[in-house]
Amino acid sequence: MLQYQQHPLSCAVDGSIGTAFRSPYNAKTGDYILIDVLSTFEFKDSIVELVFLVAPNNEQILCRSKYECSPDGKCWVSVVIARHVMLRCNGYAAPSAIPTLVSTPGVHQVKPDSVDEYKAAAERYYAGIKGDPRLHVKLTGSWETLVGNQDTFVHILEYENYAGYDKTVELIRGSEHAKSYKALLPNVSSRSTQLAQEFAFFPTAPPRAQGGIFELRSYQLKPGVLLEWENTWRRGIEARRKFVAPVGAWFSQIGRLHQVHHMWQYPSLEARKETREKAWQIDGWAETVSKTAQLAKEMDSFILLPLPYSPLK
């Protein structure tokens, strides 16, 4: 047990990778971990989160492990694990993600004199793939920038894992959808895309029509701090949830790396200002902002307006 006692017991729940309880040895069949909460605990309808930082060669052992709980230390019952999340890959810490979803935030910079033509062509393409049941893709939303880089449009697509992405790309290639996409290209001066995953604690909102504006915030993080950013943000996010429901949050997997995005919806810019001011009055929010700012190299905020065919608007 000495290898687990390098830090106070309170560090077991502080969310910091630097103070994680760890063993210097690889796991083997027959090993077990016992956690005592030192108080009575009502398990009915409860959700308990355990985060394991494991080496790649220990992943399968963790996935095959048996999990049990007991309210009194005498009667033990098996518990169902809703999902496993791998938090250590190739020596780098990774955040908890919804493993079945892959999103592609795409940004199109449009020629100023071709905005109307682009909008019409983009609607044919994105509304077309949204309504095609053969494709393994869902249109999360499409927006035009109001404040930020002008004549810029953002489209977020959601796929059923990487296999869904591969199948969708193959089905679109050579189809009418491909022709629709080529039709919008003459109006575009530049375009970029990423493959990203949702943060498990921040799932994307379903289609809704609440009106108002959207804010997309993007952070270029320092390499190697993504898990620390997630743990800090996870602890402070409740201060924001008291006043506004988040739309979604994603971290990049392919494309520009070490990048995080999150999106919010407000009735107006004035409502955004009032909401953010209220959050600053909640304990923990100022600390969250301070810590996450130290982990970022660059930060951007864009105010977006949804396009008519956007599921989120």
Side-chain angles (χ1 to χ4, degrees), residues 18-228:
T19 60
F21 286 66
R22 65 187 69 198
S23 169
Y25 311 109
N26 287 329
K28 63 181 183 298
T29 302
D31 285 353
Y32 66 91
I33 299 174
L34 175 65
I35 300 175
D36 192 336
V37 297
L38 302 178
S39 64
T40 58
F41 189 86
E42 177 58 57
F43 287 98
K44 182 179 180 181
D45 298 325
S46 295
I47 297 177
V48 178
E49 180 180 64
L50 294 177
V51 178
F52 293 90
L53 304 173
V54 300
N57 56 333
N58 291 336
E59 179 185 7
Q60 291 304 314
I61 294 178
L62 180 64
C63 292
R64 293 194 300 267
S65 296
K66 181 180 180 181
Y67 298 85
E68 296 180 328
C69 64
S70 171
D72 56 11
K74 299 178 181 179
C75 179
W76 292 83
V77 296
S78 296
V79 295
V80 176
I81 303 300
R83 60 185 177 87
H84 287 91
V85 178
M86 180 65 171
L87 291 180
R88 176 70 69 173
C89 325
N90 300 325
Y92 288 91
S96 57
I98 298 178
T100 58
L101 301 178
V102 176
S103 298
T104 57
V107 178
H108 291 172
Q109 185 71 44
V110 176
K111 300 174 183 177
D113 59 352
S114 301
V115 169
D116 291 339
E117 292 84 348
Y118 171 83
K119 286 183 177 180
E123 180 169 5
R124 285 193 295 271
Y125 174 68
Y126 287 103
I129 62 174
K130 179 182 71 171
D132 191 335
R134 299 172 302 163
L135 303 181
H136 301 257
V137 64
K138 180 179 76 175
L139 176 63
T140 300
S142 293
W143 298 267
E144 178 180 8
T145 300
L146 176 64
V147 181
N149 295 334
Q150 296 297 285
D151 306 316
T152 300
F153 293 79
V154 178
H155 308 277
I156 300 179
L157 297 170
E158 186 178 283
Y159 300 87
E160 299 171 6
N161 215 319
Y162 289 103
Y165 178 83
D166 292 337
K167 291 177 182 177
T168 298
V169 170
E170 184 63 29
L171 288 170
I172 287 178
R173 187 178 292 117
S175 70
E176 291 298 318
H177 300 306
K179 296 178 182 178
S180 297
Y181 189 78
K182 289 180 180 179
L184 66 79
L185 293 181
N187 306 302
V188 177
S189 58
S190 68
R191 53 198 170 116
S192 64
T193 189
Q194 286 180 325
L195 289 183
Q197 285 190 280
E198 295 180 346
F199 284 103
F201 71 97
F202 210 149
T204 304
R208 65 192 189 194
Q210 296 183 353
I213 61 172
F214 289 76
E215 180 180 18
L216 177 63
R217 299 181 68 88
S218 298
Y219 299 78
Q220 185 65 48
L221 303 183
K222 301 172 184 176
V225 302
L226 182 55
L227 183 59
E228 185 178 355

